[in-house]
Amino acid sequence: MEVRKYNEESVDVIVIGAGHAGCEAALATSRMGLKTVILTMCLDSVADLPCNPNIGGTGKGHLVREIDALGGEMALIIDKSFIQSRMLNTSKGPAVHSLRVQADKKKYHTEMKKVLEDQENLDLVEAEVVKINVEENKIKSIETMAGAVYETKAVIIATGTYLKGLVMMGELQYESGPHGLKAATELSKSLNDLGIELRRFKTGTPARIHRDSVDFSKMEIQKGDEEIVPFSFMNFGKDFDIEQENCYLTYTNLETKKIIEENLNRSPMYAGIVKGVGPRYCPSIEDKIVRFNERDTHQVFLEPEGLDTKEMYVQGVSSTLPEEIQKKMYKTIEGMENVKFMRSAYGIEYDCIDSTILKRTLEHNEIEGLYFAGQINGSSGYEEAASQGLIAGINAALTIKGEEEPFILDRSDAYIGVLIDDLVTKGTNEPYRMMTSRAEYRLTLRQDNADLRLTEKGYKVGLVTEERMNKTKEKKESIYKELERLKKIQVTPTEETNNKLVELGSGPIKHATNVYDLIKRPELSYDSMVVFDGERLELLREVRMQVETHIKYEGYIAKQQHQIEQFKKLEKRKIDFIEDYSNIKGLSNEAVQKLNQIKPDSLGQASRISGVSPADINVILIYLETRKRKLNE
């Protein structure tokens, strides 16, 4: 029997999915004053962490800070729910420092759900969307499985791994989303009917084991940092008085490797069953054994899933092998000889789109009001998803409110800009993961200065609060004043001065200098210069760090700023008015095809499209100059 349809209230924005992308998207649109409904397959899966129980990490930590600086929610929630905190890469330069924290999974979900429930202009509803209706290439409405029809001005699709989700464990395969939740089986057809091609990607997760079945005495303890650094800029200076949980490090061995090699034919990936492409940078243990066969051991990290559970996550040993083989293989790992499974490892295939059909606003190139965010765009990771959800939400709100200028972060503005530009300009043939190496301007795009770079942008679009904006202004002013003050403190080459410098492991000075220039010496620091700076005021840790980084990397930062200025010139040459590149004589056939498909909004974006050569860019430049002369005649 066909379900009878009925009309629900019309709304400004419908967000499909309440994972990390959906939550940020819905909060952005509702906070910008638009009536929003967020629909999820299951209320228990709101802001779920279905795989690793952590937020941040190399590159990803930058994204979280940027989300926070723009007025997003992820950093605030993880600061409420973390159980261990570690700053990574501290032995390297500040450009690659990245915060990574262990989350209490249940608490993270609970805290984010509370925020959604309390948010003005936002309704959180459990429902499965089965159809998206479009009229004259413009969003009209959506329909749920229960028959509800919502008329709307914008739809943001943030379905994660639920679209036709297929769980794989050896020979066992069944339709499912993560954590055994129902897969979304109908929406894919609706997208196909709209002319949107779908493809299959794959991800996976390791087993969850019982804490009491592990012998931690055979493992290395991984403790959290003594000084806890929060993710949210709003929490800097706050005292986090918590007892941190330990993580543990152990290793696979030759016996582990042997069991996997003997059973590779039972892995769907190597039996030719898997259609989806898996993540390069988070491979299964089978993948590691095949791709790095010269290695006999691999790292395994045991991470607690929360304070109120004995489940532990086995980082580094995700698998699609049959359950019986998994148990046998896990028991070869040192300290896990008597391990007890609570949840088995599995792989999951799901539908996603080719992200090059999107604008940099994450709106569909052809369908007005249809936005995509998160894993449906081919990315992997909670942080990448949340970033896209925030940008899609902001742009949907700006368009509905009649604002002419979209909100676009370019590659010199933020890691978020790099992420989105890579997805929509270059596309991806595998789940995309953010890494610091992808950002060419990473010295200026540090995690510690995300608020200085982005908070004002978030304030201008109406997402950042007055309180946050004022806090950023105060920080910026404190940094500027301290830099200027240090330039005025003169140090003369007396015997006493040079003795102090020698004690600090530095060389003597022959001429009068200032503290600002002394800090440039690699062996000296802002804190150590207190010996020449008795009147120094007590400043917040993040201000001191900004001051020191600015001084030590001043020359490099200036050089990068020059590169950014050159980059910006190409980004400012707008070409979004060009409708058909086949009308421009001299372009290669491949360039015409790619340019017509991606529809770049600037000459800079066009130059980054695979298949568009420097010669093609010169042809477009000549076309632009010729057009300009004709318009001025």
Side-chain angles (χ1 to χ4, degrees):
M1 184 182 295
E2 190 173 338
V3 175
R4 185 175 298 178
K5 296 176 186 175
Y6 70 97
N7 291 324
E8 269 285 1
E9 63 175 326
S10 61
V11 296
D12 295 313
V13 180
I14 290 285
V15 178
I16 304 173
H20 305 284
C23 289
E24 295 293 351
L27 288 170
T29 55
S30 56
R31 287 169 175 171
M32 291 172 73
L34 300 183
K35 178 62 181 172
T36 304
V37 173
I38 181 168
L39 301 169
T40 176
M41 298 278 290
C42 177
L43 288 176
D44 293 333
S45 66
V46 170
D48 188 23
L49 301 167
C51 195
N52 52 306
N54 55 64
I55 297 290
T58 305
K60 292 168 176 279
H62 291 67
L63 292 175
V64 181
R65 283 278 176 81
E66 291 178 351
I67 291 165
D68 183 65
L70 289 167
E73 196 67 27
M74 177 175 262
L76 290 164
I77 298 298
I78 191 59
D79 280 353
K80 290 178 182 177
S81 57
F82 77 93
I83 56 178
Q84 191 200 76
S85 175
R86 294 181 75 188
M87 188 68 75
L88 306 182
N89 301 325
T90 51
S91 62
K92 301 177 182 177
V96 294
H97 290 181
S98 286
L99 187 60
R100 181 180 188 266
V101 301
Q102 298 297 136
D104 184 313
K105 282 191 172 186
K106 190 173 287 186
K107 190 172 183 184
Y108 188 94
H109 152 78
T110 302
E111 293 291 344
M112 183 67 87
K113 187 164 177 276
K114 277 183 197 171
V115 171
L116 296 178
E117 291 168 344
D118 291 340
Q119 179 60 47
E120 189 180 354
N121 297 321
L122 179 60
D123 289 335
L124 172 63
V125 179
E126 184 172 286
E128 180 179 349
V129 177
V130 296
K131 192 176 182 186
I132 296 170
N133 296 311
V134 173
E135 289 184 8
E136 297 179 350
N137 289 331
K138 191 173 182 180
I139 282 293
K140 174 70 174 172
S141 63
I142 64 98
E143 299 175 17
T144 72
M145 185 172 279
V149 179
Y150 291 85
E151 286 200 359
T152 186
K153 298 169 186 172
V155 171
I156 301 172
I157 302 180
T159 47
T161 60
Y162 283 84
L163 272 192
K164 285 199 169 178
L166 181 71
V167 165
M168 298 166 292
M169 196 188 302
E171 299 82 8
L172 175 64
Q173 293 185 48
Y174 55 93
E175 282 189 349
S176 176
H179 282 341
L181 295 170
K182 184 177 179 291
T185 55
E186 303 298 321
L187 187 56
S188 291
K189 181 181 182 304
S190 181
L191 293 174
N192 283 146
D193 291 343
L194 293 174
I196 298 170
E197 289 186 21
L198 298 173
R199 51 189 181 161
R200 301 290 277 177
F201 272 9
K202 170 198 165 288
T203 188
T205 191
R208 309 309 194 270
I209 61 174
H210 198 294
R211 185 184 193 98
D212 293 348
S213 68
V214 178
D215 184 353
F216 295 113
S217 67
K218 296 182 178 180
M219 302 180 181
E220 297 174 37
I221 296 177
Q222 305 279 299
K223 291 185 175 292
D225 292 340
E226 284 187 22
E227 184 176 6
I228 294 174
V229 178
F231 255 123
S232 177
F233 291 103
M234 297 302 286
N235 288 327
F236 275 77
K238 179 182 175 182
D239 182 23
F240 287 87
D241 186 22
I242 71 162
E243 187 176 339
Q244 298 187 64
E245 292 291 300
N246 290 331
C247 295
Y248 300 87
L249 171 63
T250 183
Y251 297 87
T252 64
N253 50 48
L254 278 169
E255 193 179 350
T256 320
K257 184 178 180 180
K258 182 183 176 187
I259 290 171
I260 293 168
E261 287 178 331
E262 287 174 350
N263 291 279
L264 273 177
N265 63 319
R266 297 189 66 188
S267 166
M269 191 186 308
Y270 293 98
I273 298 169
V274 172
K275 297 175 186 173
V277 183
R280 176 188 302 264
Y281 300 104
C282 189
S284 67
I285 189 65
E286 302 98 273
D287 225 3
K288 290 179 187 177
I289 296 299
V290 172
R291 284 164 51 188
F292 312 107
N293 197 255
E294 72 282 1
R295 294 185 58 180
D296 294 332
T297 65
H298 293 276
Q299 288 185 325
V300 178
F301 291 94
L302 265 63
E303 302 169 343
E305 295 249 301
L307 298 178
D308 298 322
T309 178
K310 290 198 172 180
E311 284 184 79
M312 295 202 81
Y313 179 88
V314 190
Q315 173 80 26
V317 199
S318 63
S319 177
T320 56
L321 287 166
E323 186 177 73
E324 60 177 309
I325 305 303
Q326 289 181 34
K327 290 180 177 179
K328 189 176 177 183
M329 175 255 292
Y330 272 53
K331 286 184 177 180
T332 64
I333 298 169
E334 192 165 10
M336 293 170 57
E337 294 83 358
N338 299 304
V339 72
K340 289 184 178 179
F341 272 35
M342 295 182 75
R343 306 180 199 232
S344 299
Y346 62 85
I348 185 168
E349 262 189 4
Y350 53 94
D351 282 348
C352 60
I353 66 167
D354 176 355
S355 50
T356 60
I357 66 171
L358 305 178
K359 303 173 186 177
R360 285 199 283 179
T361 58
L362 297 180
E363 184 181 25
H364 191 277
N365 268 327
E366 307 293 338
I367 303 173
E368 187 181 333
L370 181 60
Y371 296 79
F372 293 80
Q375 283 179 280
I376 193 167
N377 288 344
S379 63
S380 70
Y382 313 139
E383 303 84 358
E384 290 88 342
S387 301
Q388 294 169 63
L390 182 65
I391 299 303
I394 291 173
N395 279 299
L398 290 175
T399 300
I400 292 169
K401 292 166 85 170
E403 300 289 340
E404 291 184 8
E405 281 295 312
F407 187 77
I408 294 174
L409 296 173
D410 67 37
R411 301 183 73 88
S412 66
D413 289 325
Y415 270 73
I416 294 175
V418 174
L419 163 68
I420 292 174
D421 187 62
D422 279 352
L423 287 173
V424 305
T425 305
K426 302 175 183 178
T428 182
N429 294 318
E430 59 191 26
Y432 177 101
R433 176 179 179 174
M434 177 47 66
M435 296 178 290
T436 52
S437 59
R438 297 191 190 272
E440 52 268 60
Y441 306 117
R442 56 186 171 273
L443 187 55
T444 54
L445 303 183
R446 305 185 309 278
Q447 62 160 6
D448 58 80
N449 69 359
D451 54 340
L452 304 178
R453 292 185 278 117
L454 300 174
T455 296
E456 190 172 353
K457 293 178 185 289
Y459 182 71
K460 284 178 179 176
V461 299
L463 196 55
V464 163
T465 63
E466 200 76 40
E467 180 191 4
R468 183 185 285 272
M469 189 66 244
N470 288 336
K471 190 165 185 174
T472 303
K473 284 179 180 176
E474 288 169 11
K475 178 179 175 182
K476 192 176 288 188
E477 193 174 318
S478 294
I479 294 165
Y480 173 76
K481 282 183 177 178
E482 185 64 0
L483 289 170
E484 292 304 305
R485 192 185 70 83
L486 292 171
K487 289 176 184 176
K488 296 173 183 175
I489 302 173
Q490 292 294 309
V491 180
T492 53
T494 64
E495 185 178 352
E496 182 185 1
T497 294
N498 285 331
N499 284 339
K500 286 180 179 178
L501 286 169
V502 170
E503 286 173 11
L504 291 169
S506 190
I509 56 173
K510 295 180 181 178
H511 307 285
T513 186
N514 57 42
V515 170
Y516 186 99
D517 287 333
L518 282 174
I519 294 173
K520 289 181 180 179
R521 294 186 176 189
E523 67 276 8
L524 300 179
S525 67
Y526 173 81
D527 287 341
S528 69
M529 285 298 92
V530 72
V531 296
F532 302 119
D533 188 10
E535 297 180 5
R536 178 180 294 185
L537 297 173
E538 185 63 34
L539 296 174
L540 290 174
R541 179 181 183 273
E542 65 266 25
V543 172
R544 300 197 308 271
M545 285 180 63
Q546 284 293 319
V547 168
E548 182 164 337
T549 300
H550 178 89
I551 295 171
K552 285 193 175 295
Y553 294 90
E554 185 178 33
Y556 297 105
I557 291 171
K559 185 178 179 181
Q560 193 153 102
Q561 286 294 25
H562 177 70
Q563 294 169 344
I564 288 170
E565 285 167 18
Q566 299 302 112
F567 164 81
K568 291 279 190 185
K569 287 179 182 178
L570 283 176
E571 294 302 299
K572 286 176 181 174
R573 296 295 297 269
K574 294 299 176 186
I575 56 174
D576 51 355
F577 58 86
I578 302 175
E579 294 183 359
D580 187 354
Y581 284 86
S582 61
N583 295 328
I584 301 178
K585 293 179 181 178
L587 290 174
S588 68
N589 290 334
E590 184 181 3
V592 169
Q593 179 197 344
K594 293 288 182 66
L595 289 163
N596 278 335
Q597 175 194 344
I598 293 171
K599 300 284 187 190
D601 56 26
S602 71
L603 200 61
Q605 187 185 2
S607 70
R608 296 188 293 276
I609 297 173
S610 173
V612 177
S613 69
D616 294 317
I617 296 299
N618 282 332
V619 169
I620 297 172
L621 274 169
I622 293 167
Y623 169 81
L624 293 175
E625 291 302 317
T626 304
R627 179 179 180 271
K628 184 179 177 181
R629 283 198 299 271
K630 285 181 179 178
L631 290 173
N632 291 333
E633 286 175 359

